[in-house]
Every structure is written in C-alpha cells, then in structure tokens.
Amino acid sequence: MKKRWSLGFILGFIPVMILTLIMQVSVFAAGERATIASCTIAGKDVAVVSVGNVPTGDGLYYLFELKPYEAGIGARTDYCATTPAAETATFVTPLNLNTANSKLYSRFVVATLQGGAFVPVSNEMYITNPEAVATKATGYPVRSKKGLTADWRYSKELASLGAGFAAYELDISRFYMGGGTSYQYNGKNYSFNSGVVAEYDAVVKMLNDAGCNVVMVIKNSFNAATADLICPTARIPGKNCYAMNVVEQGGTEKIEALFSFLANRYSGGSYGTIHNWIIGNEINNNSPWHYMGEMGVDQFAVQYAKEFRVCYNAIKSQNAGARVFLNIDQRWTHTDSNTLAYKGKDVLDKFAAEITASGNIDWGLSFHPHPVPLFNATFWNLPPAYAGLKLIDHTDNSKMVNPTNIDVITNHMMQESMLAPNGNIRHIIISEMGFTSANTQIATNEQIQAAAMVYAYKLAAQNPCIEGIVIHRQIDNASEAANDGMAVGIMTAAGVPKPSYEAFRNMDVGNTDYLLPVLGASSWAELGCN
C-alpha cells in the first residue's frame, strides 16, 4: 500500500516528462548494466576496464571513486575519469600513492549522466593488486608445519623444539594509546606508542631468530581513548575483541596508517618479519570475539569483507610476500543459543562471495579445529552427552570440525568458488589447536595431553593443504586454566615442561611410539596417520 500511495502522490505533483525520466534512469540502472572486469594498479595509475554497453545520453562513461567508508556516489559530480561509451571501456586515473588523494583503498563504479545526474550502472570493484606498489617482498621459509602460541619469555626454546611457526597477538588499540614514534602516511602525521612499538620490535625479532614463521593475530580491544578504531555499532564495553572501524573516515584512515606502518616495519631487516597476518580472532563468533553489534550474518560478512580489505591493501602494499588470513572457530554448521555466533561455513562463504564480487584477492583461511567440547583432550571419543548429537562427520554439512575431520575444511576450499585468483587452493593454516592436561569435567592428565597433541598433529600434517599447525600454547594461561578448564600449555604457567614438551619436539622428526598405548593402538598407521 505504501508504494502505491507514493506513486500516486508523485503522479499528482510531478510532470509526466520528469516521471518518465525517473523511470528511464531506473531502467538504465537496473536493467542494462556494465560490469567492471578488472581494477588494477598500472605504474602510477589505476586502470579500470568495464564491459557491456549501457545507453547514455552524451556517449560517455564516467568513473567514480568511493572510499571504504562511502556508501555511494549520491549527488556527487567529481568523477575521476571519463571515456567514450563502448562494449569494452578503459579508464585511467592517477593512483596518487601516499598522498591525501590516494586511491589505494578505494573502490570504483561506472556511471552515466542521465537527466543532469550521475547514475551508477556497474558493480563496484576495489584494486586487486595492491602488492604492485610494495617495495618489499619477504620470502616464506619452508619449515616444519608444527608451531606454538608463543610466550616471548621462552622464545629461545622454540628453536630447540623445532617449531616452524610461532603465533602471537597484537592489539591495535595499544599503538594509539600514547605516542613517540612518528609516521607520515597519505599526507598526515601519525604518532604511535613508542613503548608498544619497541615491545613488538623485540618480540618479532625473537621469534624470527628462533627460526619461526611469525603468525600475528590482530585484535582490537575496547578503550574509551581509542573508540574511533571500533565499528560504530559496537562501541560498548565487555566484549573480548571488536570489529574495526571502516565506516567513518577518521577511524578508517588511522587503521590504514597503522597497518601500513606495521607491515613496512616487520618486513625483514633489523625488526624481523611477520609472515602471516590474521585479521580478527574467530570472527564467526561476533559476540564476544569480533564484536560488530547486533546484526545478521549477511550484514556481518559484508562489513567484515570491507574491514579485511583495508588491512589487506595496507599490508600487501608494503610487503608483497606477506600472507593475510581470516579466522573461524570449529563451529562449521553448528548454531546454539548465542544468535551472534554464526556458522563458520556461512561466514566463510559469504565473505568469499563478497570479496569475489568486489575484486578477488589472495586471502587465506586459518581455523581452529579444537576438540569437542574444548576441554575434551580425548577428542577421538566424544563424551556421552555429545555422542548422540552427530556433531562430527566428513561431509560438508558436519556441525563441528575437530582434529579428526579437518578434511571438511580443505575439501570445501577446493571448490571452484573458493580458489585463489591463480586457480590454486588458498593458503590454509591451523592457527590454534589445544589439548588440556587437567580438567574437572572430563578425566585427563599430562600423558593423555601429549598423546592427543601428537595424534592431532599427525592427522593434520598429512593433509597437503594444511601449511602450518599451531599448537595452543607454549605455557599454560592462568585465566584459561581457571575459567575454561584449559591447561593447554606444553609447559606449566611456571615454565615447567610437561610430557607434551618432549612430545612436541619429536612429533615430526623423532620417536613418539611410546604414546601409542595411551591411544589404544600399536602403530600410528592403525590410527590413520602416515
């Protein structure tokens, strides 16, 4: 009824000629559209190619630039390029790298001039090769697949343990709480907390010197002083981590500058290298792990894709060799009473579709195939309360993913719609997988922990699509142990090695057969391990 009343109102007060023009604009915008086929950096310019012929009154196409925080061209007239209308049309516009007019993070849309207004007639697309302007390209050393959530105090032990990966956390809010380290970016001066910068200078170098590929998990904490880094719909305290602000200009530019600074600084040289960047922790759990506010999974995935792309472009434009990942937990198609804990599969698929539609890039996937439930160290046997729920199988509809069925993830990533721009399967790592040595609900001990860790590692390592496997963690975390029953370290909180310490050292190159009786087996092959 509302639509009919509105149309009647218009018919009564707007001349028929204007109404006809409005209808034509609608037809042009919705019925006959161009498609941006590519959007790439070419030297000092951005080259945009569109295909499809759209009617135009003046015979021209116009290209508009949209910043990440801009919703559309609206009434704007400041197009950045124009070209004659054609089935294949090419636009060229200056990139203006590292200036106030930089287009590095922008997306582009084709418009036509209709009745004195510019009307978008194409999809919107971002630059897909930000690495083209990078001055650095660090390598990715081939090392053991095994890694640890590291503790800097014991970083020197990583080398003797043979760890190929070391995971660590970085909270972006800390860099804007204080200053002292200056950085000029896109025509503005920024100042980052010198103490925090010095801390990460030391940590990244320590982990590199231990022979590890560094996996940096990016988080964003709540602090009133840095609230502009948080998505506007999420600015309430009490969550573990928060989505980044790519909705407002000020917050977006601060995020661009910080990631540019970090990627430039940790790309080889005296400060070491961050090889892997994970944008957010278990993002499918909106609340409390990547809080964006009350919204459905579709809106969440679209917004996260924008957030991811800003970080990706900042990182890859500094270090062409860096790898950038999203992260999901073990809930593949499972839902529970937390309506903001989405299915991991849904978030992944919707994110992939949004990225592909707006300019495919070389994103990677990290995931957490923890035991089900988390404190069940004997992950190969579900507790009675869980056994009848049919949570674990090897189909694409499995409710959960644990160490026994990680093939669910890798098989899903082999689908054509999920492949990288070069046609290969994307980079995939397990960035967190932990086994507790003590729990009050399910009986376990340090020997079971060691056996479970080795078993899970062998299951994962034989999958050729898994490039790295981070065991969570190097030492027990007091909060995890007390609140979650998760004493998952291979060392106690006091730094005392558990049996899993030596098991970790040997699980890819040494003898771990002594753990087989704990698993009720006589060989690893009997358990399905190579």
Side-chain angles (χ1 to χ4, degrees):
M1 291 297 293
K2 183 176 180 181
K3 290 183 179 179
R4 292 178 181 176
W5 182 89
S6 298
L7 181 58
F9 182 86
I10 292 172
L11 285 170
F13 290 89
I14 299 179
V16 174
M17 180 177 67
I18 297 178
L19 176 62
T20 302
L21 177 59
I22 291 173
M23 294 175 67
Q24 288 175 342
V25 168
S26 176
V27 169
F28 289 165
E32 300 180 70
R33 298 182 64 80
T35 299
I36 295 181
S38 65
C39 180
T40 56
I41 295 172
K44 295 183 177 181
D45 297 318
V46 179
V48 177
V49 177
S50 72
V51 295
N53 212 333
V54 179
T56 173
D58 60 2
L60 296 174
Y61 289 159
Y62 300 86
L63 186 70
F64 279 82
E65 171 204 8
L66 296 170
K67 300 295 186 184
Y69 46 83
E70 291 182 313
I73 63 176
R76 285 171 48 187
T77 60
D78 57 337
Y79 54 87
C80 61
T82 186
T83 191
E87 182 65 30
T88 300
T90 301
F91 303 86
V92 177
T93 184
L95 176 61
N96 294 323
L97 187 67
N98 202 22
T99 73
N101 298 315
S102 174
K103 298 183 179 73
L104 179 63
Y105 301 94
S106 300
R107 64 194 192 279
F108 299 85
V109 63
V110 178
T112 59
L113 186 60
Q114 301 176 24
F118 289 100
V119 178
V121 293
S122 77
N123 58 314
E124 298 174 355
M125 185 173 287
Y126 292 86
I127 289 168
T128 57
N129 64 333
E131 64 276 6
V133 298
T135 58
K136 302 177 181 180
T138 55
Y140 200 84
V142 177
R143 291 163 168 157
S144 170
K145 287 186 178 183
K146 70 183 181 185
L148 282 166
T149 302
D151 187 299
W152 67 269
R153 296 169 297 176
Y154 303 94
S155 62
K156 291 183 179 179
E157 298 187 22
L158 295 170
S160 64
L161 287 166
F165 290 81
Y168 208 79
E169 294 181 355
L170 185 150
D171 182 349
I172 66 170
S173 70
R174 297 181 64 210
F175 288 83
Y176 277 107
M177 295 174 64
T181 299
S182 298
Y183 186 65
Q184 187 177 68
Y185 191 64
N186 287 348
K188 293 185 178 181
N189 293 316
Y190 297 86
S191 185
F192 305 123
N193 187 302
S194 291
V196 177
V197 172
E199 174 188 327
Y200 280 89
D201 287 351
V203 167
V204 174
K205 190 64 165 60
M206 285 179 188
L207 300 180
N208 280 183
D209 288 347
C212 297
N213 290 336
V214 175
V215 179
M216 195 61 73
V217 182
I218 306 300
K219 296 184 176 181
N220 187 18
S221 295
F222 184 89
N223 189 289
T226 59
D228 60 342
L229 298 178
I230 297 174
C231 182
T233 55
R235 291 172 185 164
I236 60 171
K239 306 299 181 180
N240 293 350
C241 299
Y242 291 80
M244 297 179 217
N245 179 14
V246 292
V247 177
E248 299 169 329
Q249 180 176 354
T252 302
E253 290 178 350
K254 288 174 73 173
I255 290 166
E256 293 169 354
L258 177 59
F259 278 91
S260 170
F261 167 79
L262 294 172
N264 179 278
R265 195 172 186 89
Y266 304 119
S267 294
S270 58
Y271 303 119
T273 300
I274 296 175
H275 305 84
N276 308 279
W277 302 75
I278 298 179
I279 311 304
N281 178 67
E282 299 185 348
I283 64 157
N284 58 304
N285 193 347
N286 176 344
S287 178
W289 281 109
H290 198 78
Y291 190 58
M292 197 179 286
E294 300 287 330
M295 62 183 67
V297 63
D298 291 330
Q299 183 182 355
F300 179 91
V302 169
Q303 185 65 20
Y304 175 77
K306 290 184 178 181
E307 177 184 340
F308 183 93
R309 196 184 290 271
V310 166
C311 298
Y312 180 95
N313 281 20
I315 294 166
K316 296 289 282 187
S317 63
Q318 295 293 334
N319 180 6
R323 297 180 182 177
V324 190
F325 299 80
L326 77 154
N327 175 253
I328 59 174
D329 64 20
Q330 73 271 44
R331 285 176 285 198
W332 185 238
T333 65
H334 174 71
T335 58
D336 53 34
S337 59
N338 180 2
T339 58
L340 295 181
Y342 314 122
K343 301 174 183 178
K345 179 183 176 184
D346 280 358
V347 171
L348 176 62
D349 286 351
K350 292 175 187 299
F351 166 84
E354 179 65 19
I355 289 289
T356 298
S358 56
N360 202 7
I361 50 178
D362 192 22
W363 57 268
L365 173 66
S366 69
F367 67 106
H368 296 169
H370 287 299
V372 178
L374 286 174
F375 46 80
N376 178 31
T378 54
F379 63 84
W380 53 94
N381 286 323
L382 292 180
Y386 292 79
L389 300 179
K390 299 182 179 179
L391 297 175
I392 307 292
D393 61 41
H394 293 273
T395 74
D396 200 40
N397 292 317
S398 180
K399 292 181 179 179
M400 305 285 280
V401 173
N402 77 354
T404 67
N405 68 333
I406 60 172
D407 56 295
V408 168
I409 300 288
T410 55
N411 287 343
H412 189 81
M413 294 299 290
M414 290 180 186
Q415 297 178 97
E416 185 176 355
S417 61
M418 305 302 289
L419 298 178
N422 63 5
N424 296 331
I425 191 167
R426 295 182 183 273
H427 299 297
I428 306 174
I429 61 174
I430 293 172
S431 53
E432 195 176 293
M433 186 168 64
F435 310 92
T436 186
S437 61
N439 187 267
T440 58
Q441 298 186 58
I442 298 178
T444 189
N445 56 48
E446 292 183 351
Q447 200 72 6
I448 291 174
Q449 179 200 30
M453 177 190 67
V454 174
Y455 183 19
Y457 175 78
K458 289 181 178 294
L459 287 172
Q462 68 188 3
N463 187 318
C465 301
I466 303 296
E467 299 173 346
I469 303 158
V470 175
I471 300 299
H472 189 64
R473 36 173 95 233
Q474 190 172 5
I475 74 166
D476 283 343
N477 177 276
S479 176
E480 287 180 347
N483 299 327
D484 305 318
M486 296 290 287
V488 295
I490 64 171
M491 303 163 70
T492 69
V496 178
K498 303 179 188 178
S500 53
Y501 187 93
E502 283 302 315
F504 181 92
R505 188 200 308 275
N506 296 319
M507 65 185 182
D508 59 340
V509 293
N511 178 26
T512 53
D513 289 354
Y514 65 92
L515 293 169
L516 287 168
V518 179
L519 302 167
S522 59
S523 70
W524 292 109
E526 183 182 336
L527 296 170
C529 302
N530 295 337

